[in-house]
């Protein structure tokens, strides 16, 4: 049973990057990478943030963790607004919120042993003595399915799946409440993906962890998420429970993403909707509904008026003039 205490609240979060040109590096425009997104992640819950590459989902994850500075908006962690906090004031927040990246190889220092990598957050935050640290790291290795004897090995001595387990152990070291997974299984073989997802789910149950699970793959997101937010060009276009998205997805973009998800039953044939063209540039996004240049149902109103994200059923929000 998922409890409804919000761990993370995001309100109207924006991240715009200036586009600079010429000798004087004048600002000539903005990249609207994240353009006013709002959602919550509750205790023990996984929110899937899904969309094509370039839709702003990874930027959103980094802005939430203040790895990059948001342009505006509110990010609350367990009720505390972290937007205006200084580096020093952010330290307690860093313990509560961690990130796992897509590529476990480049996110691990090749010159450090796996044990030192996992123990580093404990050292930085002054959490434990060397002896205590070693004991805690050994327990974390054991919990994520690695042998404590492997603590002395270097990242290149592990397989891709094992390296992602090291990243998970490192993320767990400080006992966080929230983990942002930025495409955490995309670089892994399918069979290994399932193992890592199962591990994440077991850890969630044990520790009441909350996940913001960022992925371009709706099938993976379905497996792990309680609710899903679908992003297109910096905005959330649909936000609902996983069941609502998969049985009654309403936004035309969600419809297109769903049509590409393989169905395990060969008797069921899904008509694949192929969207025309690529995601438009976030430097100069289309007016009105950002999706109108690719939407098969677009009408004149869609070009001039931005649809609001409206609640069409309890917990089911859609941003489309026709829904
Ligand atoms: Fe398509 Fe118009 Fe709905 Fe946008 S508002 S998704 S363009 S029908």
């Amino acid at each position: 049973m998922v409890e409804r205490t919000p761990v993370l609240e995001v309100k109207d979060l924006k991240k715009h990057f200036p586009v600079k040109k010429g000798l004087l590096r004048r600002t000539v425009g903005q990249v609207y990478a994240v353009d006013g997104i709002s959602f919550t992640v509750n205790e023990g819950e996984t929110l899937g943030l899904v969309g094509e590459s370039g839709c702003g989902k990874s930027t959103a994850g980094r802005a939430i963790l203040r790895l990059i500075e948001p342009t505006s908006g509110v990010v609350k962690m367990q009720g505390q607004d972290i937007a205006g906090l200084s580096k020093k004031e952010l330290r307690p927040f860093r313990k509560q919120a961690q990130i796992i990246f897509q590529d476990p190889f480049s996110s691990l220092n090749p010159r450090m042993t796996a044990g030192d990598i996992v123990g580093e957050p404990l050292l930085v935050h002054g959490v434990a003595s060397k002896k205590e640290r070693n004991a805690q790291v050994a327990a974390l290795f054991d919990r994520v399915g690695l042998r404590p004897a492997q603590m002395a090995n270097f990242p290149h001595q592990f397989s891709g799946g094992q390296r992602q387990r090291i990243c998970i152990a490192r993320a767990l070291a400080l006992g966080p409440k929230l983990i942002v997974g930025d495409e955490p299984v995309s670089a892994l073989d399918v069979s290994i993906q399932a193992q890592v997802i199962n591990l994440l789910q077991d850890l969630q149950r044990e520790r009441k962890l909350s996940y913001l699970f960022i992925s371009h793959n709706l099938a993976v997101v379905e497996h792990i998420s309680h609710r899903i937010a679908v992003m297109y060009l910096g905005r959330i276009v649909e936000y609902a429970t996983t069941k609502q998205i998969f049985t009654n997805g309403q936004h035309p973009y969600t419809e297109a993403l769903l049509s590409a998800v393989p169905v395990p039953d060969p008797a069921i044939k899904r008509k694949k909707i192929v969207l025309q063209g690529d995601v438009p540039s976030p430097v100069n996004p289309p007016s009105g509904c950002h999706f109108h240049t690719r939407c098969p149902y677009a009408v004149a109103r869609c070009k001039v008026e931005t649809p609001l994200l409206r609640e069409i059923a309890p917990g089911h929000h859609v941003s489309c003039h026709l829904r």
Side-chain angles (χ1 to χ4, degrees), residues 168-186:
I168 293 170
R170 179 176 58 183
L172 290 176
L174 294 168
K177 294 293 296 174
L178 171 79
I179 293 182
V180 174
D182 187 4
E183 302 269 10
V185 297
S186 303

Side-chain angles (χ1 to χ4, degrees), residues 99-157:
I99 188 164
I100 304 170
F101 293 102
Q102 174 178 359
D103 182 352
F105 200 61
S106 61
S107 64
L108 298 175
N109 186 337
R111 283 187 285 274
M112 286 172 76
T113 65
D116 285 345
I117 289 170
V118 174
E120 195 181 25
L122 297 169
L123 180 69
V124 169
H125 285 265
V127 169
S129 69
K130 193 165 193 312
K131 201 173 158 202
E132 287 166 335
R133 245 185 351 258
N134 279 343
Q136 284 190 30
V137 171
L140 284 166
F141 264 60
D142 192 43
R143 181 58 200 91
V144 300
L146 298 168
R147 282 177 291 110
Q150 292 173 297
M151 284 164 58
N153 293 357
F154 288 88
H156 73 269
Q157 295 172 290

